[in-house]
Amino acid sequence: MVRETVRLENVSKRYGTRLAVANVSFSVLEGEIVGLVGPNGAGKTTLMRIIAGLIRNFDGEVWIEGCRARIGRQHTVRRIGCMIESPGFYPFLSGLDNLVFLSAWSGRVSKEQLSDAVERVGLANDVHRKVGHYSMGMRQRLAIALSILHRPSLLLLDEPANGLDPNGVREMRDILRRIVDGQRTAILISSHNLVEIERICNRVVILHRGRVVEI
């Protein structure tokens, strides 16, 4: 039986008089890639930040693997990997040293976990190079490697193909499929590019002005 990795129930968020997200409900299953699509200002990033625990003051409920997120916060945070904003890597360190240093904030990871993450994102041949010499696509792949180091159940990606050329977009697509196939990770990916989302996602949640238009 396929399990629900994340479920949102009537999630709403207001900033002053502006309703950024209004009564949003949907779920993402284990091993499923779900797209979150809508124009700028539709509420995509707000939803991502709510699920990741970066926004706590909201209405409704978020459940991660059957655990109510606001109650079991420590448990749920460990189950989530995210790339919501482009991470600030140290350009004078290698890709591997960046992963080791930045991952230390959330707990020690094994050499096996480091090797596995680097292999999945296709950076095995470049991980010892300084990040200052990385292309945009390589930096994005390193960011995803960082987000999957602890082998999360849920991966949140906010516009991961931004700034990538067509080859980089195809590589990103292949990486996400490898993550799902290898770890049964659920992925929620936001984009304003419906064509690209349709190529990789099992389902799409369409947002407009903070509301779900269609799933």
Side-chain angles (χ1 to χ4, degrees), residues 9-14 50 56-61 70:
E9 294 180 348
N10 300 314
V11 170
S12 298
K13 173 62 183 176
R14 186 181 293 277
I50 287 172
R56 299 196 194 183
N57 183 23
F58 63 92
D59 295 320
E61 295 296 341
R70 281 189 282 199

Side-chain angles (χ1 to χ4, degrees), residues 3 10-11 14 23 36 48 50 61 79 105 114-115 141 148 164 194 196 206 215:
R3 299 179 302 168
N10 300 314
V11 170
R14 186 181 293 277
N23 296 316
L36 202 55
M48 291 275 192
I50 287 172
E61 295 296 341
R79 308 311 302 151
W105 294 98
L114 282 165
S115 177
R141 282 187 276 160
I148 64 172
L164 300 185
L194 183 56
E196 183 56 37
I206 301 176
I215 300 177

Side-chain angles (χ1 to χ4, degrees), residues 156-214:
L156 304 174
L157 301 174
D158 191 14
E159 303 278 4
N162 260 6
L164 300 185
D165 61 23
N167 283 335
V169 172
R170 283 193 293 270
E171 288 174 354
M172 182 67 65
R173 203 185 305 147
D174 292 340
I175 287 167
L176 298 185
R177 290 196 180 106
R178 284 200 297 271
I179 292 170
V180 168
D181 292 342
Q183 298 178 189
R184 299 297 296 163
T185 303
I187 299 178
L188 182 63
I189 177 172
S190 78
S191 178
H192 59 272
N193 187 338
L194 183 56
V195 173
E196 183 56 37
I197 284 291
E198 285 181 330
R199 288 174 176 166
I200 189 170
C201 293
N202 303 99
R203 292 185 295 134
V204 176
V205 178
I206 301 176
L207 294 173
H208 183 63
R209 294 183 178 176
R211 299 180 184 274
V212 175
V213 176
E214 191 170 350

Side-chain angles (χ1 to χ4, degrees), residues 103-120:
S103 66
W105 294 98
S106 56
R108 188 180 298 276
V109 296
S110 67
K111 289 183 178 179
E112 179 191 356
Q113 286 172 289
L114 282 165
S115 177
D116 182 60
V118 168
E119 194 70 40
R120 287 188 189 281

Side-chain angles (χ1 to χ4, degrees), residues 48-120:
M48 291 275 192
R49 294 175 68 85
I50 287 172
I51 296 169
L54 300 175
I55 294 175
R56 299 196 194 183
N57 183 23
F58 63 92
D59 295 320
E61 295 296 341
V62 176
W63 300 78
I64 309 291
E65 293 189 315
C67 181
R68 192 175 171 194
R70 281 189 282 199
I71 293 177
R73 176 164 167 73
Q74 287 187 336
H75 164 77
T76 57
V77 165
R78 287 197 298 268
R79 308 311 302 151
I80 298 173
C82 61
M83 188 178 77
I84 294 179
E85 296 175 354
S86 296
F89 291 117
Y90 294 96
F92 53 86
L93 293 178
S94 69
L96 182 61
D97 287 341
N98 267 281
L99 292 179
V100 171
F101 180 76
L102 294 173
S103 66
W105 294 98
S106 56
R108 188 180 298 276
V109 296
S110 67
K111 289 183 178 179
E112 179 191 356
Q113 286 172 289
L114 282 165
S115 177
D116 182 60
V118 168
E119 194 70 40
R120 287 188 189 281

